[in-house]
Amino acid sequence: MDNIAIVTGADRGLGYAITEKLLNREWTVIAGQYLNDWNILNKLSKQYPFKLHIIQMDVSSIESVIAAKNVVALLVDHIDVIISNAAYMGGESNNQQPMEDSYYVNIMRSFTTNSLGGLRLIETFLPMMKTGMKRLCFVSSEVSSISMMKRAYGYGYCISKTALNMGVRILYNDLHKDGFTFRIYHPGWMRSTRKDGSYDSIADFPPGISAESAIPQFIGSRDDEDRLVMLDYMGNEWPY
Amino acid sequence: MKRNSLICGTINGIANEISCQIEDKGFNVIKISASQLKEDIKSLMNELDSLDMLVYFALEEGNSKQRTIRDGLDYEDLMSTYEENTINFLRIVEYSHELMMKSSLRRICIVTSSNSSINFNSNSCGYGCSMSQAAINNLVQMLMNRYQKENFTFRMMCTKYYAYKEAGIKAARNAVTYFLRNRAYDIHTNERNDENRLALRDIYGREIPW
């Protein structure tokens, strides 16, 4: 039986790098595409025409996720691993002076994409996970950690990732007893992807480095599956 | 002159009892429910001379609190709960900042529940309330990072539903005592002060992990 993963936000950055590395390991990948004008994923599909399936998906819309699932159900008979990676970085809500209505609109957009996007994904694809690995992975962030929070601005993105961690906790309480295992991953500070697939020079490392660390966590086993933990790209545990 | 305390958010039984006890401590109490927040807060800010203490009850549970992921979640309801518990709290902090700067107390108190703890939550449902309360915990930490240099102080308190009135009164009394005391916590020396560290406590003063 094929190993099959679904990855959201696969157009670029970490999602793209994870997709590429899973394909290298001969996994079949359902790659959720949000940005129509980015074509590096299309180039990758020429390299893996039978293993990579690109599906349009906006995780901020349940209708979009259901439409994607209806297509996926025609392509594969089950899903082993869901990797919820799609994120909205916060836009205007990263500025230092809130008060305008648009500031709060951006905070809500962070919540519906970053916190609820993963829930829409799991709810919709859960019926396709009755067999297989039953692994649910969520890309979170160090800024979700209340214990370690040092920032004074950029509320929208940070608090949406904390809300995500709580959503995963409740999923864990519900689904772990049925054999589902969970990963919460902090990918580190990654360089942004340009449209031609190259990376800018700001930040610590390109997404491929983080994806290389993520893959063993996402598809490997652990001896403490009865604990929900957030691990970073070096395998270090972060407090909530 | 009486000090002013603004009570807002989800004004339920425990919120009303806490309001009464704050009033008993000599505060002029002004209440605004979450549904009126946007309309009332700006005009109210023009009426007051200063604001000493803000108490926010982030206790909205939403209409779909019993739903699990298998039932299918009501995403509109989750969004609405997040807006009421989390975003409205940020709004009111931003709107009232200037007025609080005119007070020497500058205390912001937030009431949530132990279900806001990612470590402790053991439920299979209640996404809206728990996610919005966890987000508030991080938001308050960020606000503390931002406003502590202006001598703002913060108190975070977990309450729950109290079936007996006496239990609710006792819980409210403990909450108000906690809100109003300086956080010199070691009763033997009275020297230790963890005001620089944000803590989530229950009504008995026990710390709840994030």
Side-chain angles (χ1 to χ4, degrees), chain B residues 68-81:
Chain B
T68 69
I69 197 76
R70 297 164 216 261
D71 301 327
L73 304 179
D74 180 342
Y75 293 97
E76 290 300 318
D77 186 52
L78 301 187
M79 298 272 287
S80 164
T81 305

Side-chain angles (χ1 to χ4, degrees), chain A residues 80 129 132-136 172 174-182 225, chain B residues 70:
Chain A
D80 288 286
M129 298 191 83
M133 195 184 279
K134 295 188 169 185
R135 174 68 47 80
L136 306 177
Y172 178 92
D174 194 9
L175 300 176
H176 180 60
K177 61 182 179 294
D178 295 334
F180 284 86
T181 50
F182 290 75
E225 295 287 4
Chain B
R70 297 164 216 261

Side-chain angles (χ1 to χ4, degrees), chain A residues 62 96 98-99 104 107-108 111-112 115-116 119-120 123 143-144 146-147 149-155 158-159 162-163 165-167 169-171 173-175 178 240, chain B residues 68-70 72-73 75 78-79 82 86-87 90-91 94-95 115-119 121-127 130-131 134-135 137-139 141-143 145-146 210:
Chain A
I62 188 69
Q96 295 194 356
M99 291 302 280
Y104 298 104
I107 292 182
M108 289 306 291
F111 178 67
T112 194
S115 317
L116 300 183
L119 297 181
R120 291 187 187 95
E123 176 185 322
V143 298
S144 71
I146 304 158
S147 311
M149 173 50 72
K150 304 293 180 217
R151 299 186 187 191
Y153 297 96
Y155 307 123
C158 300
I159 66 176
T162 312
N165 293 353
M166 175 59 85
R169 161 60 71 189
I170 300 174
L171 284 175
N173 296 340
D174 194 9
L175 300 176
D178 295 334
Y240 292 119
Chain B
T68 69
I69 197 76
R70 297 164 216 261
L73 304 179
Y75 293 97
L78 301 187
M79 298 272 287
Y82 191 74
T86 314
I87 307 303
L90 178 59
R91 274 199 181 99
E94 294 293 332
Y95 291 150
N115 286 334
S116 73
S117 164
I118 300 168
N119 282 289
N121 190 308
S122 59
N123 295 331
S124 304
C125 56
Y127 285 92
S130 299
M131 291 172 77
N137 290 344
N138 204 13
L139 177 58
Q141 181 64 72
M142 298 181 81
L143 290 169
N145 295 343
R146 180 175 177 181
W210 303 119

Side-chain angles (χ1 to χ4, degrees), chain A residues 38-56:
Chain A
W38 286 67
N39 64 2
I40 54 173
L41 201 52
N42 296 326
K43 286 179 187 167
L44 194 63
S45 73
K46 287 174 186 160
Q47 202 178 331
Y48 299 95
F50 304 110
K51 288 282 188 182
L52 173 59
H53 305 284
I54 302 170
I55 306 291
Q56 288 295 316

